[in-house]
Amino acid sequence: MPEQLAYTIEVFLNGLMAGVLYALVALGFVLIYKASGIFNYAQGVMALFAAMTLVGIQNGQVPFAHLINAIFGTDVHGFGWSVHSFVAILLTVVVMIGLAWAVQRFVFRHLVGQEPIILFMATIGLAYFLEGVADLMWGSELKSLDVCAAQGVCLPQGMNSWIDETTFNLFGYGFFIDNLDIVASIVAAILVIGLVMFAQYTKQGRAMRAVADDHQAALSVGVSLNFIWILVWSLAGFVALVAGIMWGAKSGVQFSLSLIALKALPVLMLGGFTSIPGAIVGGLIIGVGEKLFEFLIGAPFLGGATENWFAYMLALLFLVFRPQGLFGERIIERV
Amino acid sequence: MFYREAGDFNTTYAEDQQTFPIKFDRYRYYLVLFIAIVVVPFTVNDYWVNSIFMPFLIYAIAAIGLNILVGYCGQVSLGTGGFMAVGAYACYKLMTAFPEVSMFIHVLLAGGITAMVGVLFGLPSLRIKGFYLAVATLAAQFFLVWLFNRFPWFYNYSASGQISAPERDTFGITITGPNTEAWAAYAFCLVFTIFSAYVARNLTRGSVGRKWMAIRDMDIAAEIIGVNPLRAKLTAFAVSSFFIGISGALFFSIYLGAVEVGEAFGIQKSFLVLFMIIIGGLGSIFGSFAGAAFLVLLPVALKVVGVDILGWPTDIVAHLQLVIVGLLIIVFLIAEPHGIAQLWRVAKERLRLWPFPH
């Protein structure tokens, strides 16, 4: 097998893995958009907030320690214990549900019936607010995130040596694939299947789809909109937590984590804002597309770092021909 | 008591159609202009110009530009930072290529170049609408910043990858570079701010502005009554980008002096200007000024209170600022979706009846 082709396949596989992570973030957007028509820009910051909360709880940090120290002149930092990952994740889920309730109760309940663009801007405000709160609560320095099920059984790091050896024996060239990416793909697949099952087969899931279809009709058959919205924001918070764990374990928990929301936007445009399969397919296309473009055209001819904009340009060109995205509902406009 | 139209008789069409039909408004406007032109330049010092007046004036131009696109024409754009970068780099290339030409011409040309780039990135708006367009404009933001970072021609092959403004003058007065007098920089920015506000105000109340607003309210209906969406949208993109380009050129050449593109014109700048027009008021020129003033003064005020008076560490104050800006945006959207401009309008309605409201 020629070298160049092997490299290309490796890049392709890595793009696929990155695409899975993009899809994971995009999923949170789609959930909220379908159920409430809110385009939630804060999804990325929610992932950051969830990951920081997880790290903070794990390490037993005192929330708002810096602020308390600055105001009262004290010197508190940690409780001096560390919490098992599993418990910490559960506690973080509780925090995210509380956040979902607060967001619904204090922000979006007052904005029902406003134009979509106003709702979008409110989520940008929410993103700023959450980012500031997360920094104040847990400190803004770079943290490393390790999630361990038991002593020694942690999220794997580094490259997968098995794939490396097997492919080396088969093709004479060892593929470099990150262990963490493989785990992330599996987790994402489970999450998607779980969400689809939840939406299809449970009472709450059915109510959720009813709300997505028609608010008023759902209200008239006795679905509580308020409950569904809190449910959807909690689910989005949970998805954000999973995305936060995966990205946080990969590159550390810091501000740049919230920028994955920006990466998820072209994915959404490509797949359509209202489609869960669209988010996944779009994520894979973007992940593979930007890695391949960088490898084949960007790095050799354009000076590299094309990943910053390629996804947007791809989505832009795509939309010019199909304005509702791959799987989006057809846009019908009436006067 | 003072603020009413009673006794204010218009006898010509010109008088009837003037921007400030109420006498009190008109005199207030003249007073603001008088203070800005005659009083301020002779009394300001370096600190006031650099931390308050210049950012305010420059952001006001950018906010007017974005408000034309978002507030008047309804095309949400997140590419402001990228367009400001175009203005800055165009200005830099012109300044270094033609050192003897006046800065006025350079800044205006930079605006013109940005307008062309804006039209280019505005073309998809004919097919893509709403959120999809907002995300599509992010393509402009990231692509342009990447472009200026990657191709050394844009920063004249300088080793640091930065662009820094050489010393240039206009009418014999130095206005860029380290030897600039504070008042000169202030006056230069002021001229462009007044020019932008004047042009924007008169465009938006003329036939062009009415077409933009028709497109904003419902584009299909506008098309049916004979508004050409291609021309309306593209003129909005062009005019908007022209102002944003001017503000970018001023931001680089007069205010900062040296710029690293990713840092000065990143996505944060796009959001900052967007927040200005949300808080100030969409679809209002006064709102653009109010929003710019608010978001320029807020960090300064917080810094004075937090760092200088309470003695907190700067990073905590910076985080608090994020929290406060986020909260303010949410509060404004809930309580007054039309921003400070609407508060001002309501206050004026009240004032007309004051002190006998019935």
Side-chain angles (χ1 to χ4, degrees):
Chain A
M1 182 185 264
E3 286 271 282
Q4 188 69 20
L5 186 63
Y7 285 146
T8 312
I9 294 176
E10 184 186 7
V11 170
F12 181 85
L13 287 176
N14 276 316
L16 221 50
M17 301 287 178
V20 170
L21 287 178
Y22 295 156
L24 204 56
V25 185
L27 210 58
F29 278 95
V30 173
L31 277 175
I32 292 185
Y33 189 80
K34 265 185 88 114
S36 55
I38 295 170
F39 184 75
N40 181 24
Y41 178 77
Q43 187 68 27
V45 183
M46 275 164 72
L48 172 74
F49 182 78
M52 280 174 99
T53 309
L54 181 62
V55 175
I57 292 176
Q58 270 186 335
N59 299 341
Q61 282 182 23
V62 178
F64 299 109
H66 291 292
L67 194 62
I68 294 169
N69 292 347
I71 296 176
F72 301 110
T74 52
D75 190 33
V76 287
H77 288 293
F79 292 116
W81 65 62
S82 64
V83 181
H84 188 269
S85 295
F86 191 66
V87 183
I89 289 179
L90 274 185
L91 285 174
T92 312
V93 169
V94 173
V95 171
M96 295 312 283
I97 292 176
L99 179 72
W101 176 82
V103 165
Q104 182 55 35
R105 172 70 186 77
F106 295 112
V107 183
F108 290 104
R109 180 190 270 190
H110 304 286
L111 288 171
V112 170
Q114 292 279 10
E115 282 173 50
I117 206 72
I118 300 272
L119 297 172
F120 170 60
M121 288 172 184
T123 64
I124 300 182
L126 184 68
Y128 268 63
F129 177 73
L130 267 186
E131 190 192 319
V133 168
D135 286 345
L136 283 178
M137 248 171 123
W138 307 112
S140 55
E141 69 277 4
L142 173 68
K143 302 178 191 64
S144 66
L145 174 65
D146 264 325
V147 175
C148 300
Q151 199 67 44
V153 188
C154 297
L155 276 179
Q157 301 281 355
M159 69 182 272
N160 190 312
S161 51
W162 182 79
I163 291 182
D164 187 39
E165 279 170 26
T166 321
T167 49
F168 186 78
N169 293 335
L170 278 175
F171 309 121
Y173 170 76
F175 284 6
F176 181 96
I177 289 173
D178 216 322
N179 265 324
L180 191 66
D181 285 345
I182 299 175
V183 175
S185 321
I186 297 169
V187 170
I190 295 173
L191 195 67
V192 170
I193 295 170
L195 281 174
V196 171
M197 301 271 271
F198 176 78
Q200 290 293 335
Y201 298 115
T202 63
K203 193 179 162 195
Q204 280 75 24
R206 219 168 267 148
M208 207 169 84
R209 282 188 295 143
V211 171
D213 209 38
D214 189 329
H215 287 183
Q216 288 200 331
L219 259 181
S220 71
V221 293
V223 176
S224 161
L225 279 184
N226 216 8
F227 172 76
I228 292 298
W229 281 335
I230 293 177
L231 176 74
V232 169
W233 276 87
S234 308
L235 277 181
F238 181 69
V239 174
L241 172 63
V242 175
I245 291 175
M246 292 307 162
W247 281 86
K250 196 173 178 178
S251 49
V253 178
Q254 54 172 331
F255 169 70
S256 67
L257 192 66
S258 64
L259 298 179
I260 55 173
L262 294 174
K263 267 287 154 69
L265 295 178
V267 171
L268 288 168
M269 287 169 67
L270 207 61
F273 285 140
T274 49
S275 159
I276 290 182
I280 295 159
V281 175
L284 295 181
I285 293 178
I286 295 275
V288 170
E290 72 177 18
K291 289 279 189 308
L292 275 183
F293 183 80
E294 171 77 16
F295 176 69
L296 294 175
I297 299 169
F301 301 115
L302 295 175
T306 53
E307 281 159 337
N308 286 339
W309 55 267
F310 175 74
Y312 293 96
M313 281 299 184
L314 183 68
L316 184 65
L317 284 180
F318 188 83
L319 279 191
V320 170
F321 296 103
R322 205 179 147 81
Q324 70 272 37
L326 263 180
F327 295 95
E329 287 152 23
R330 221 174 130 222
I331 303 167
I332 301 167
E333 284 183 280
R334 293 189 183 86
V335 176
Chain B
M1 196 173 284
F2 312 101
Y3 185 77
R4 56 192 43 184
E5 60 269 61
D8 212 352
F9 299 110
N10 296 325
T11 48
T12 62
Y13 284 119
E15 272 177 20
D16 202 33
Q17 291 178 338
Q18 59 193 334
T19 303
F20 296 104
I22 295 177
K23 217 181 242 163
F24 184 79
D25 265 344
R26 202 154 54 234
Y27 290 138
R28 182 182 47 78
Y29 167 68
Y30 291 143
L31 182 71
V32 170
L33 274 189
F34 177 78
I35 293 175
I37 296 171
V38 182
V39 180
V40 174
F42 297 103
T43 50
V44 284
N45 56 20
D46 260 355
Y47 173 77
W48 278 79
V49 164
N50 281 321
S51 67
I52 293 176
F53 280 116
M54 259 203 303
F56 164 64
L57 292 175
I58 293 170
Y59 279 126
I61 301 175
I64 289 171
L66 191 64
N67 219 336
I68 284 177
L69 193 59
V70 181
Y72 285 98
C73 196
Q75 313 293 310
V76 182
S77 161
L78 297 174
T80 318
F83 292 133
M84 281 177 82
V86 174
Y89 275 77
C91 186
Y92 174 68
K93 288 305 282 186
L94 288 167
M95 276 165 86
T96 46
F98 307 103
E100 64 282 354
V101 178
S102 162
M103 269 302 284
F104 271 108
I105 294 169
H106 285 326
V107 172
L108 285 176
L109 280 179
I113 291 169
T114 316
M116 281 188 267
V117 176
V119 168
L120 197 64
F121 279 98
L123 279 174
S125 73
L126 301 169
R127 284 280 288 174
I128 309 172
K129 287 167 190 168
F131 295 131
Y132 288 98
L133 179 67
V135 179
T137 53
L138 279 176
Q141 169 72 45
F142 289 108
F143 178 74
L144 290 169
V145 167
W146 172 84
L147 188 73
F148 294 133
N149 241 334
R150 285 290 149 177
F151 290 91
W153 181 78
F154 287 111
Y155 48 86
N156 281 359
Y157 305 94
S158 76
S160 60
Q162 287 192 335
I163 52 172
S164 48
E167 201 169 295
R168 293 287 179 269
D169 55 26
T170 187
F171 305 124
I173 303 160
T174 313
I175 50 158
T176 62
N179 300 323
T180 313
E181 299 272 346
W183 69 267
Y186 167 82
F188 190 72
C189 291
L190 184 70
V191 169
F192 279 101
T193 311
I194 293 175
F195 162 76
S196 307
Y198 182 80
V199 171
R201 171 74 195 168
N202 285 302
L203 270 182
T204 50
R205 65 201 196 111
S207 81
V208 184
R210 277 157 209 270
K211 282 177 188 162
W212 290 340
M213 285 185 264
I215 290 283
R216 170 192 68 188
D217 292 340
M218 182 173 269
D219 51 356
I220 294 186
E223 200 176 338
I224 289 168
I225 60 168
V227 176
N228 182 348
L230 175 83
R231 285 186 57 179
K233 284 181 180 175
L234 290 190
T235 46
F237 265 97
V239 174
S240 156
S241 309
F242 176 72
F243 290 140
I244 291 173
I246 286 182
S247 92
L250 293 175
F251 194 74
F252 150 68
S253 61
I254 317 283
Y255 178 48
L256 288 184
V259 156
E260 203 280 314
V261 61
E263 208 174 286
F265 300 116
I267 178 87
Q268 300 299 330
K269 194 109 311 171
S270 302
F271 281 129
L272 181 67
V273 182
L274 188 65
F275 289 163
M276 283 174 184
I277 64 171
I278 296 173
I279 290 184
L282 291 172
S284 156
I285 302 295
F286 168 75
S288 311
F289 280 100
F294 193 84
L295 282 186
V296 166
L297 288 179
L298 182 73
V300 177
L302 277 179
K303 191 177 155 293
V304 169
V305 172
V307 179
D308 300 347
I309 298 179
L310 294 173
W312 291 358
T314 43
D315 63 325
I316 287 189
V317 175
H319 297 151
L320 266 182
Q321 188 193 328
L322 280 179
V323 173
I324 292 173
V325 169
L327 264 185
L328 272 175
I329 287 163
I330 295 174
V331 166
F332 259 103
L333 286 174
I334 291 173
E336 190 48 85
H338 302 289
I340 298 174
Q342 180 67 16
L343 291 179
W344 177 235
R345 257 173 243 139
V346 171
K348 281 201 293 194
E349 280 306 308
R350 294 259 168 83
L351 268 180
R352 278 164 85 169
L353 299 175
W354 185 85
F356 304 113
H358 298 293

